[in-house]
Amino acid sequence: AMEQRNIAKAKLLYDFIDASQLYVNRVDPAARSRMNIPFFLRDESRNDAFLAGAQARGLLQLKGHKSVGGMRASLYNAMPLEGVQALVDYLREFEQQAA
């Protein structure tokens, strides 16, 4: 059951990122993690604004690794589907504001 929840959480986020014009995931779909999902804003000059907006909504620890950059969402077992949905809602809102 936990595996199915983790698959659903990762699918929700990957599907949104893959369909987005603002975000990109550079990992081959065959090698993607269900736990740590890296992504980049196509316009990286907007990273600080993205992170500030996320923090204002209680979406924390999204800044990617210092050697890689970008963003990283960690979807460990304790992260509920509702938390991933809140992130996707914010990603959508930020993308609409950027358009």
Side-chain angles (χ1 to χ4, degrees):
M2 188 171 291
E3 180 181 19
Q4 292 307 310
R5 284 193 299 267
N6 289 337
I7 289 169
K9 292 186 303 187
K11 181 177 181 346
L12 176 63
L13 185 51
Y14 280 123
D15 285 353
F16 180 82
I17 292 169
D18 289 343
S20 171
Q21 296 299 309
L22 182 63
Y23 310 101
V24 63
N25 179 290
R26 299 175 182 161
V27 179
D28 183 292
R32 290 178 172 178
S33 169
R34 288 186 206 139
M35 295 292 130
N36 290 299
I37 299 178
F39 61 96
F40 295 84
L41 278 74
R42 293 181 195 272
D43 177 1
E44 293 192 35
S45 71
R46 300 190 48 84
N47 284 356
D48 289 341
F50 174 84
L51 289 168
Q55 184 173 1
R57 288 161 181 78
L59 301 168
L60 308 175
Q61 305 297 320
L62 289 170
K63 187 173 183 178
H65 190 276
K66 61 184 175 184
S67 68
V68 178
M71 307 297 157
R72 182 183 73 181
S74 295
L75 308 184
Y76 295 111
N77 293 338
M79 171 61 72
L81 180 61
E82 294 80 12
V84 180
Q85 185 62 60
L87 174 57
V88 168
D89 291 346
Y90 172 63
L91 292 170
R92 182 176 293 113
E93 177 186 327
F94 191 84
E95 183 171 35
Q96 289 170 347
Q97 290 173 356

